[in-house]
Amino acid sequence: MATDNVDKPREFALEKHVKFFKRSLEFLPYQYSSADTNRMTLGYFCINGLDLLGKLDILSEEQKKGYIEWIYAQQIHPDPNSPDENKPICGFRGSPFAGSPYAPSATNTEAAKYDRANLAMTYTALLLLLALGDDLSRVNRKAIIESMPYLQREDGSFCPCYESRESDMRFLYCASVVSYILNDWTGIDIPKALSFIKSSQAYDYGIGQGPSQESHGGSTYCAVAVLDLLEKLDSSVINQEKLLEWCLNRQETGFQGRRNKPADSCYSFWIGATIKMLGGYELIDFTQHRAFLMTTQGGIGGFAKWPDVYPDLLHAYMAIAGLSFMNEPGINPVNPTLNCSLGVTEALSKSVFHREKSMDTTSG
């Protein structure tokens, strides 16, 4: 790929990015008000962003403990006093709804019926707890795993919460990471999940959100990561060689998420991590990729979707994760499959559920 007309490399504004994430933990502009129910995910971008930058120590131990307690306050537990039809689907919600901490017996019955966990929020909550140094000992693994079959559709996909009408590759990924973190895959019908992934690979070998849907960088990432977690990446579920070619063809300067779309900073992770898992990252044009990302770097810190657009949390985190793959100074290595730092991966190996695995192995 040509590298003409590439501007002089811009400096990565590490300290500005640290301030951007720290400020966002404390106060968000009004434009984020519509995302209040996704507060867990916003926290994930901030905390994990600081972790990638090696700056989690700017948070005091008291602050970290406060965040941990808030996260556990969003955990939905079984309610033994609720009728069977109103039993909550367990896991974590995105923010306080009918009460904080979750206490359905102390709230309006009708409201509490809808105060249910969300798979995406459970995924981000678990990674947040690990990043903050928690060992997951208060996570109700049994309740979460037993809730999962209610969220898996007949075609193998997952929906985010009980009775939701949407189901696709994103939530299969969330269910898979949750199962991996909790070291229990019994909540997923794996043959159905694999069939769903296979049937979602499109004519051009990219992967869509479901069968007969357009190939997309996000859903391609989710599918490949699920196969990686299941140790099925080298099986015949998908055509890896053609998929890698599809991913590499998404690079213009940065990466686009679909054909005929402009480059977008977040795909430096979604596509970049997929290429990383497929073993072809050395084939991308590093110079063009970094140059594009630097055009989206905000003057106040963070990264935007495109040049000359205001930075936001999602694109800030994803762009920094993408830069990590290119060994940008000041950024910690990223686990491409779990979408967290290698430090969080190490913390996972020491968590209560993975210590069990280690003990089982040594005792055997």
Side-chain angles (χ1 to χ4, degrees), residues 36-228:
D36 186 68
T37 55
N38 298 321
R39 208 182 302 172
M40 191 73 74
T41 298
L42 299 179
Y44 163 83
F45 293 139
C46 294
I47 296 292
N48 283 276
L50 289 173
D51 185 31
L52 288 187
L53 297 173
K55 297 293 184 179
L56 262 183
D57 57 355
I58 68 169
L59 303 178
S60 68
E61 290 305 311
E62 184 177 358
Q63 285 177 309
K64 290 178 184 178
K65 182 178 179 181
Y67 291 133
I68 289 171
E69 293 306 313
W70 183 87
I71 293 166
Y72 274 116
Q74 312 319 315
Q75 185 170 200
I76 308 296
H77 294 284
D79 179 13
N81 300 315
S82 181
D84 286 343
E85 64 271 18
N86 287 344
K87 292 288 185 186
I89 297 299
C90 300
F92 289 81
R93 56 188 178 177
S95 65
F97 178 71
S100 182
Y102 175 72
S105 59
T107 60
N108 178 275
T109 304
E110 186 64 21
K113 185 171 73 172
Y114 298 102
D115 197 5
R116 289 170 171 155
N118 181 295
L119 264 179
M121 301 305 136
T122 302
Y123 156 67
T124 53
L126 294 176
L127 288 178
L128 269 170
L129 288 170
L130 290 167
L132 290 165
D134 186 75
D135 68 355
L136 308 184
S137 57
R138 286 187 279 166
V139 172
N140 192 334
R141 174 170 65 174
K142 183 175 185 292
I144 294 173
I145 296 300
E146 289 182 352
S147 295
M148 280 193 180
Y150 295 98
L151 303 178
Q152 189 171 20
R153 295 284 171 83
E154 188 60 33
D155 67 358
S157 65
F158 272 79
C159 50
C161 49
Y162 190 57
E163 296 179 334
S164 171
R165 292 186 178 182
E166 64 174 339
S167 64
D168 55 47
M169 201 68 71
R170 294 171 297 172
F171 306 114
L172 172 56
Y173 169 73
C174 292
S176 298
V177 176
V178 169
S179 298
Y180 180 81
I181 290 174
L182 299 183
N183 195 22
D184 189 337
W185 290 88
T186 59
I188 299 179
D189 186 321
I190 292 175
K192 285 183 179 179
L194 294 176
S195 176
F196 178 71
I197 291 172
K198 186 178 180 68
S199 63
S200 298
Q201 188 163 36
Y203 73 93
D204 59 2
Y205 298 100
I207 300 173
Q209 291 287 13
S212 302
Q213 295 194 32
E214 181 184 11
S215 299
H216 189 282
S219 49
T220 295
Y221 166 79
C222 290
V224 171
V226 171
L227 293 175
D228 197 26

Side-chain angles (χ1 to χ4, degrees), residues 5 7-8 13 49 65 98 156 173 191 196 198 210 253 273 333 352:
N5 301 318
D7 294 335
K8 183 180 178 181
K65 182 178 179 181
Y173 169 73
F196 178 71
K198 186 178 180 68
T253 50
V352 291

Side-chain angles (χ1 to χ4, degrees), residues 4 14 22 83 87 128 130 132 136-137 219 267 288 317 333 349 360:
D4 297 337
L14 189 148
K22 187 174 186 296
K87 292 288 185 186
L128 269 170
L130 290 167
L132 290 165
L136 308 184
S137 57
S219 49
Y267 292 103
Q288 287 279 7
Y317 174 79
S349 70
D360 289 343

